[in-house]
Amino acid sequence: MSTAGFNSQNGTGTGQTYTNGPSQNPVALQQPSGVGYSVNHQPAYNQMQAKVLAPPGPALYPSGPYQPVPPGPQVGSYPPAPAQPLLPRPQIGVLPSHTPPQSASPGPGPWPAQATPPAQATPPPPAVTSTGYYTGPPAWQYAAPRGPAPNHVNPAAAAPPLMSHSSTQPPGPGAPPTSIHGYTQLGDVAGNGPQAPNSYNHVDNRMAGAAPPGPPGRHLGHYPSLPPGYQNTSAPPPSSLHPALQAATQPYTQGPLPYQQQPGGPGPSPGPAPAQLSPSMAAMSLQSSTPEALRVVNLLQERNLLPPAPVPAPTPCLTQDLQKLNCSPEVFRCTLTSIPQTQSVLNKAKLPLGLLLHPFKDLSQLPVVTSSTIVRCRSCRTYINPFVSFLDQRRWKCNLCYRVNDVPEEFMYNPVSRSYGEPHKRPEVQNATIEFIAPSEYMLRPPQPAVYLFVLDVSHNAVETGYLSVFCQSLLDNINALPGDSRTKVGFITFDSTIHFYNLQEGLSQPQMLIVSDIEDIFLPTPDSLLVNLNECKELVQDLLKSLPNLFEKTMETQSALGSALQAAFKLLSPTGGRMSVFQTQLPNLGVGALQSREDPNQRASAKDVQHLSPATDFYKKLALDCSGQQVAVDLFLLSAQYCDLATLGCISRYSAGSVYYYPSYHHQHNPAQVERFQRDLKRYLTRKIGFEAVMRIRCTKGLSIHTFHGNFFVRSTDLLSLPNVNPDAGFAVQMSIEENLDDMQVVSFQAALLYTSSKGERRIRVHTMCLPVVSSLSDVFAGADVQAITGLLACMAVDRSVTSSLSDARDAMTNAAIDSLSSYRQSALTIQQPGLLAPACLRLFPLYILALLKQKAFRTGTSTRLDERVFAMYQLKYQPLAFAMLMIHPALYRLDDLSDEGALNIGEQTIPQPRVLQLSVEKLSREGAFLLDAGLVMYLWIGRNCHQNFLSQVLGVSSYAAVPEKLYLLPELDTAESQRTRAFVSWLRDQRPFFPSLHIIRDESQLKPHFLQNMIEDRTESALSYYEFLLHLQQQISK
Ligand SMILES: [Zn+2]
């Protein structure tokens, strides 16, 4: 199903706002000039009386509820919270620490069972037929009809609920694929029609089940790169877990021990399958004690919610043996680590159910298996994995569909232990992440070579930015590091008002430029010599790269025929497939795909709904689908100071599974930070791993159903994503529903299989399998909530919502997500009521993250935001792996002027300090300090006016505060301990992500200070609530 891909728009953004000029909405906390950030001048929490409370856009927070909220908890009907003096702020630590209410105290009291409704509450949804592109429920279903005018509805009452879990809602006519412009029937555009010869639609399905006649017996494949680390998973010592993990799983250890049930005994001693093992695991539910995840937190009282270090992923409540085998949360995460038994329990929890994936992540250890037989379930095609059960040595039971399959003869030999008769010790059943080198049945054609085509804007505007020489130099520097082999091909197209091709054929003494000026009917002048073998023609390629920047130095051509250039590039790549890298610096204004500016700069700060988030034309989407059908992905590098309509241009990458990079205000002289970012990103881009002609399929245990996908791809059939290219930096998310009750299951599994061609021409399959427990009570569902995964998925859903409906609708929906889930928790999971805004500890950050989303560039209102930057931010939220998306949503703040080695990491020779993560509030800043804000793609190092002399001299190398340069992007390499520590920490942060964040070192009076302060999301701004105000708003809605 998944149509999701369609109705929703990519966002994209996150570039820094360099040229917004002075912000119209200086973040709240400006203080009298000359005054530092001393606590006294903060709008303290009890500022609630302030008149401004009629908040942000007229929309969200109707002034009603906000009106005089006199100090004191008179909200709703709650009895006054015990001595809750609207927060005597600074002394956070002094607040009486919250004692858990009796209801949640560790007493053995079982959680109320009434939370579990009768199972038949949810009728099975209609079978989904899959014709056309829109086969599933709309990307974001709402049980309630679209609310009235979004701008003045009471969010709780009328705004659409965050998500309707009613998977039963048929994809009725009420939810047409709105933004699709007729793609529903385009059978011939890219896929559902006659398949292009090289599309792998059906391969994944068709292959492998009928176990190919591989040589039986011991003619086994070899295991080329099974790293030693993986071998010891075969016989894990029972308690080698990290102590924390042990503690986390301790109460739940009576579950099945799937692999220990053949105690060396050869005979067929059928051990129970995990899914059959009965009540043992049910009994292991959370009733015996209250796990930390369910500790009741009164958010209005507990202020210090952030853990000192980055928030870890929760550990699913599984037996140690299962958990030890489970997939890394860096690769595969679920919003609920305990899966509700029925849709109706899920509905009650009001939390979204979905998966977040980073399937092609660079891994330091990856077991790779070559085998002529890849063992898969004959019925549902699931790859054998650690969570299947062996009924005996000859039979295994699928953990997704429960079919019993035969164990192939070949599988009986274990090449790791070199023993025979231990199929359960094979690497395939010992590793939740594994890669297979695929035999020929997994190929429809010989694996394609690595093919790279660069499409370069050389208009006057482009030349002015100076990007071309940076690009050419980067490619020259990295040309030998492009992933590939002796078959690798490259080609170049440049364009302005005409299209220029380059004949690089072997034997020429120099590159030959061929200009095609008929852009209306584009053709390839010499089709055979434009894409050339890199090895054979390397010198010509290098000559071209050296001469290109000069070639257009004096151009006065201002027009841009991007659309025609893309058509030409598509023609060139069609026969093979490959990667198209497009560099564009302005709004295309000539020929097909020409666009007009849709941004009104005066509306950038408008609190009204933001227009033009969806594409202006479907030209780019159509072309992307054509590309997808021919295994071509398009990556877009946008470098521009002007509006470029990323909402439209981005479609070219989004539907072809490409990436989008955006460098607002790029200029080789005026913006060195962007130049460095561009250089670093290019190096990573050119040299990172790449997979060609890929497809990814996500399967889950029978009863669960996947219905909406987020990321960059084209959805070919119900669960098959077409990825002409896959790269290690791409994330994906899917939404799920529960279609059949999971009554008799203790665990369910999810499997993502990515079939791709490596740059060396090998067909490979990377398989990830995750196993999660099934629970019946609402409390258990809450206990397993993964607040970051939930936030990441909601962000994706909100992006779709912004495009298909409106930004204010999306904002309301996010707020309602917090209201609904906390409300449900109070009503259904708590046995003893108490005043306050209560959340289970595992969701204590939820309101903060929701507020952070509302203030994120993608969704904020009332703050000047360029349309392209907003769209880019949206795009990033949908495409970035969760860890990076979270930094964009809730940046990390650190104090750097007092770094010490205490608790530092030691990596190699280096000592990496680990300062604690601070709350995002100016109250955490001090003018004596220096603070680093890490917001993912950008970092700010803010230097307080009275910053310690030691930091200034030892880290920045200046004699005084006044001597800190106005524009500083680099930490000088000084030979001091302080300098080394600081640089080590910043580099360590940067090294962990695929995108290079630029660093701005700013003084208090810097022009960039507003950008820094905009990230202080716990504080109030002119247009948005403070965290405490937001909590009061939630409480008020909940107590209605
Ligand atoms: Zn199966």
Side-chain angles (χ1 to χ4, degrees):
M1 10 212 182
S2 145
T3 57
F6 285 99
N7 327 7
S8 41
Q9 179 53 15
N10 294 332
T12 314
T14 265
Q16 306 80 317
T17 17
Y18 288 112
T19 52
N20 274 352
S23 162
Q24 299 303 306
N25 304 283
V27 177
L29 316 165
Q30 334 112 300
Q31 48 267 280
S33 60
V35 180
Y37 287 114
S38 84
V39 172
N40 297 337
H41 297 281
Q42 290 288 352
Y45 275 149
N46 37 25
Q47 203 191 47
M48 286 303 297
Q49 310 93 307
K51 62 171 168 90
V52 197
L53 283 179
L60 275 195
Y61 307 105
S63 49
Y66 277 103
Q67 261 143 33
V69 180
Q74 50 85 262
V75 192
S77 56
Y78 284 120
Q84 186 185 311
L86 275 189
L87 300 209
R89 266 249 307 309
Q91 302 94 320
I92 298 151
V94 183
L95 283 176
S97 72
H98 177 73
T99 47
Q102 292 94 330
S103 68
S105 64
W111 289 96
Q114 78 269 20
T116 316
Q120 57 273 43
T122 329
V128 175
T129 56
S130 54
T131 53
Y133 294 131
Y134 297 96
T135 52
W140 195 337
Q141 292 181 344
Y142 292 90
R146 290 280 153 77
N151 269 350
H152 40 267
V153 294
N154 172 338
L162 192 217
M163 58 242 150
S164 101
H165 290 293
S166 52
S167 65
T168 57
Q169 196 169 318
T178 42
S179 63
I180 307 184
H181 303 300
Y183 275 82
T184 37
Q185 289 142 338
L186 287 182
D188 53 340
V189 166
N192 285 354
Q195 285 304 318
N198 51 356
S199 62
Y200 277 82
N201 269 15
H202 306 298
V203 177
D204 183 56
N205 248 345
R206 148 156 94 95
M207 299 317 169
R218 298 175 183 231
H219 308 277
L220 308 156
H222 57 288
Y223 290 72
S225 55
L226 189 65
Y230 275 86
Q231 299 180 5
N232 49 24
T233 53
S234 46
S239 62
S240 59
L241 281 185
H242 184 278
L245 190 55
Q246 272 184 10
T249 52
Q250 233 157 23
Y252 320 116
T253 43
Q254 325 79 320
L257 310 174
Y259 300 119
Q260 299 178 354
Q261 275 145 5
Q262 295 117 322
S269 57
Q276 288 174 323
L277 274 194
S278 55
S280 62
M281 207 180 262
M284 96 193 185
S285 81
L286 302 163
Q287 305 190 354
S288 53
S289 69
T290 302
E292 162 62 17
L294 282 180
R295 181 172 60 84
V296 180
V297 176
N298 183 349
L299 297 174
L300 292 169
Q301 285 186 335
E302 276 197 39
R303 181 81 208 284
N304 273 322
L305 298 174
L306 278 185
V311 179
T315 305
C317 181
L318 289 166
T319 62
Q320 283 185 20
D321 304 272
L322 286 180
Q323 184 51 34
K324 193 173 296 179
L325 293 167
N326 222 347
C327 198
S328 161
E330 291 183 344
V331 169
F332 218 147
R333 242 163 119 162
C334 185
T335 54
L336 302 176
T337 62
S338 292
I339 303 293
Q341 201 172 57
T342 64
Q343 179 72 33
S344 91
V345 175
L346 176 60
N347 290 346
K348 277 197 176 169
K350 306 279 186 192
L351 292 169
L353 177 59
L355 303 170
L356 290 98
L357 291 88
H358 188 179
F360 204 49
K361 180 179 166 47
D362 285 330
L363 298 171
S364 55
Q365 284 196 319
L366 175 68
V368 179
V369 170
T370 301
S371 168
S372 58
T373 305
I374 295 179
V375 180
R376 301 175 65 179
C377 173
R378 293 176 63 88
S379 173
C380 72
R381 322 301 311 132
T382 290
Y383 295 80
I384 197 166
N385 62 73
F387 310 106
V388 304
S389 45
F390 284 91
L391 303 182
D392 54 44
Q393 280 194 316
R394 295 289 173 179
R395 292 179 304 155
W396 63 278
K397 188 170 180 179
C398 176
N399 52 330
L400 270 65
C401 75
Y402 305 118
R403 173 177 176 129
V404 174
N405 293 277
D406 292 336
V407 175
E409 181 66 25
E410 177 181 340
F411 206 73
M412 295 299 290
Y413 177 72
N414 184 348
V416 177
S417 62
R418 304 200 175 168
S419 57
Y420 193 80
E422 295 181 324
H424 58 286
K425 290 189 179 169
R426 289 268 302 201
E428 293 91 330
V429 280
Q430 291 295 334
N431 295 284
T433 289
I434 195 162
E435 188 153 290
F436 298 96
I437 295 181
S440 57
E441 318 90 74
Y442 288 81
M443 303 168 198
L444 289 178
R445 60 171 186 176
Q448 72 163 74
V451 180
Y452 304 111
L453 176 61
F454 299 94
V455 182
L456 306 161
D457 181 353
V458 292
S459 64
H460 176 70
N461 195 55
V463 172
E464 277 294 292
T465 67
Y467 94 89
L468 195 55
S469 50
V470 172
F471 164 77
C472 290
Q473 191 56 50
S474 286
L475 187 50
L476 278 171
D477 292 345
N478 294 295
I479 198 151
N480 293 320
L482 285 178
D485 57 13
S486 61
R487 301 185 304 158
T488 302
K489 289 181 167 187
V490 295
F492 299 86
I493 291 176
T494 59
F495 67 98
D496 41 36
S497 62
T498 57
I499 314 298
H500 327 129
F501 297 90
Y502 297 87
N503 183 344
L504 297 166
Q505 202 168 31
E506 203 178 2
L508 288 176
S509 59
Q510 59 180 27
Q512 197 177 49
M513 181 165 144
L514 307 155
I515 300 179
V516 173
S517 51
D518 181 6
I519 59 167
E520 294 304 324
D521 186 17
I522 201 74
F523 65 96
L524 302 178
T526 55
D528 297 332
S529 53
L530 302 177
L531 273 179
V532 296
N533 183 291
L534 179 59
N535 277 357
E536 292 162 6
C537 307
K538 194 173 285 175
E539 282 182 21
L540 279 179
V541 170
Q542 287 167 329
D543 286 349
L544 176 65
L545 289 172
K546 286 172 193 159
S547 58
L548 259 185
N550 301 330
L551 213 51
F552 298 94
E553 212 171 19
K554 306 234 160 42
T555 183
M556 295 310 288
E557 182 55 74
T558 57
Q559 292 190 299
S560 170
L562 173 67
S564 303
L566 292 173
Q567 286 180 329
F570 168 64
K571 283 192 177 174
L572 193 48
L573 282 175
S574 284
T576 51
R579 181 177 78 187
M580 189 194 305
S581 314
V582 179
F583 296 77
Q584 173 74 6
T585 68
Q586 62 177 315
L587 197 65
N589 53 13
L590 189 65
V592 292
L595 300 173
Q596 290 178 338
S597 179
R598 298 190 289 166
E599 185 183 43
D600 176 358
N602 298 321
Q603 295 295 310
R604 282 178 193 158
S606 167
K608 284 189 243 146
D609 258 320
V610 174
Q611 304 299 310
H612 307 307
L613 293 172
S614 51
T617 162
D618 62 1
F619 171 80
Y620 295 94
K621 180 192 279 180
K622 274 186 177 168
L623 189 54
L625 297 185
D626 289 342
C627 286
S628 179
Q630 298 299 324
Q631 304 297 351
V632 174
V634 185
D635 297 324
L636 177 64
F637 289 78
L638 197 56
L639 310 101
S640 171
Q642 307 299 323
Y643 173 71
C644 284
D645 199 347
L646 191 50
T648 303
L649 295 185
C651 293
I652 191 71
S653 298
R654 167 158 185 213
Y655 296 101
S656 68
S659 316
V660 172
Y661 294 80
Y662 181 40
Y663 306 87
S665 308
Y666 184 91
H667 193 277
H668 65 295
Q669 284 170 338
H670 304 155
N671 203 335
Q674 290 286 46
V675 174
E676 188 187 16
R677 222 187 104 211
F678 180 53
Q679 280 171 329
R680 302 287 194 120
D681 283 354
L682 263 184
K683 180 174 165 65
R684 164 79 183 164
Y685 174 75
L686 293 171
T687 59
R688 72 185 177 187
K689 200 174 159 90
I690 183 171
F692 295 97
E693 45 190 356
V695 290
M696 181 165 73
R697 193 186 297 273
I698 303 169
R699 296 179 168 89
C700 46
T701 294
K702 189 166 166 290
L704 293 166
S705 138
I706 290 173
H707 60 76
T708 299
F709 297 82
H710 302 277
N712 292 354
F713 46 73
F714 174 64
V715 182
R716 277 203 192 282
S717 60
T718 54
D719 57 354
L720 188 69
L721 304 186
S722 169
L723 305 169
N725 289 178
V726 61
N727 73 70
D729 306 329
F732 301 86
V734 302
Q735 290 167 242
M736 290 189 299
S737 55
I738 302 169
E739 303 208 328
E740 295 168 31
N741 291 351
L742 307 171
D743 291 341
D744 46 358
M745 301 174 199
Q746 278 74 45
V747 294
V748 288
S749 299
F750 307 88
Q751 186 173 79
L754 178 69
L755 175 61
Y756 70 97
T757 296
S758 77
S759 57
K760 310 267 187 230
E762 280 173 331
R763 203 70 181 141
R764 288 175 168 237
I765 309 158
R766 188 172 296 187
V767 179
H768 307 284
T769 313
M770 176 172 66
C771 175
L772 294 175
V774 175
V775 298
S776 58
S777 86
L778 193 55
S779 297
D780 289 354
V781 173
F782 277 117
D786 180 339
V787 68
Q788 292 201 323
I790 289 170
T791 304
L793 185 62
L794 285 177
C796 293
M797 294 161 75
V799 170
D800 286 0
R801 196 68 211 280
S802 302
V803 176
T804 58
S805 179
S806 70
L807 188 68
S808 58
D809 231 15
R811 289 171 51 91
D812 288 354
M814 286 189 284
T815 306
N816 288 345
I819 293 171
D820 292 346
S821 59
L822 295 184
S823 179
S824 165
Y825 169 73
R826 173 182 274 281
Q827 287 165 13
S828 309
L830 277 182
T831 43
I832 298 178
Q833 295 300 324
Q834 54 183 312
L837 181 61
L838 308 180
C842 60
L843 285 177
R844 70 191 186 283
L845 295 173
F846 193 32
L848 178 62
Y849 287 159
I850 293 292
L851 180 66
L853 278 172
L854 295 174
K855 295 187 178 186
Q856 218 275 341
K857 205 174 274 182
F859 303 115
R860 71 190 180 192
T861 56
T863 302
S864 181
T865 307
R866 288 170 164 247
L867 189 51
D868 278 346
E869 295 196 14
R870 184 187 296 280
V871 170
F872 184 60
M874 290 183 166
Y875 189 95
Q876 294 283 95
L877 287 174
K878 288 195 51 145
Y879 175 74
Q880 290 233 27
L882 181 63
F884 309 123
M886 280 314 298
L887 267 183
M888 292 177 51
I889 295 168
H890 188 274
L893 179 67
Y894 306 95
R895 182 165 188 160
L896 291 199
D897 59 298
D898 58 357
L899 289 180
S900 75
D901 290 344
E902 192 183 332
L905 293 179
N906 287 302
I907 299 178
E909 301 278 289
Q910 279 212 309
T911 302
I912 319 285
Q914 297 291 296
R916 68 167 294 146
V917 177
L918 304 174
Q919 286 168 263
L920 293 172
S921 167
V922 288
E923 84 182 36
K924 293 294 174 191
L925 304 179
S926 105
R927 50 202 288 194
E928 285 79 36
F931 293 83
L932 181 74
L933 182 98
D934 178 7
L937 287 194
V938 61
M939 294 177 172
Y940 297 99
L941 176 55
W942 175 84
I943 313 293
R945 270 173 205 276
N946 297 344
C947 184
H948 293 299
Q949 182 57 39
N950 190 52
F951 186 82
L952 295 174
S953 58
Q954 306 298 299
V955 176
L956 300 181
V958 296
S959 57
S960 69
Y961 174 79
V964 177
E966 175 64 26
K967 291 186 175 175
L968 185 58
Y969 308 104
L970 281 176
L971 287 168
E973 294 192 19
L974 304 181
D975 192 18
T976 64
E978 290 86 348
S979 171
Q980 280 165 6
R981 274 196 203 105
T982 311
R983 284 182 289 116
F985 180 61
V986 172
S987 314
W988 176 76
L989 290 175
R990 280 176 160 161
D991 288 348
Q992 294 175 70
R993 67 198 67 167
F995 304 97
F996 182 82
S998 43
L999 172 67
H1000 299 271
I1001 300 167
I1002 58 172
R1003 290 189 301 182
D1004 193 46
E1005 55 277 1
S1006 162
Q1007 283 182 358
L1008 292 176
K1009 184 179 165 192
H1011 298 281
F1012 171 70
L1013 288 183
Q1014 271 164 10
N1015 290 286
M1016 298 294 133
I1017 55 180
E1018 295 201 18
D1019 297 334
R1020 127 111 63 87
T1021 68
E1022 267 180 23
S1023 58
L1025 300 179
S1026 73
Y1027 176 55
Y1028 190 71
E1029 290 164 347
F1030 185 64
L1031 292 179
L1032 288 178
H1033 171 64
L1034 298 184
Q1035 188 191 31
Q1036 210 162 30
Q1037 296 299 322
I1038 288 169
S1039 58
K1040 267 189 176 172

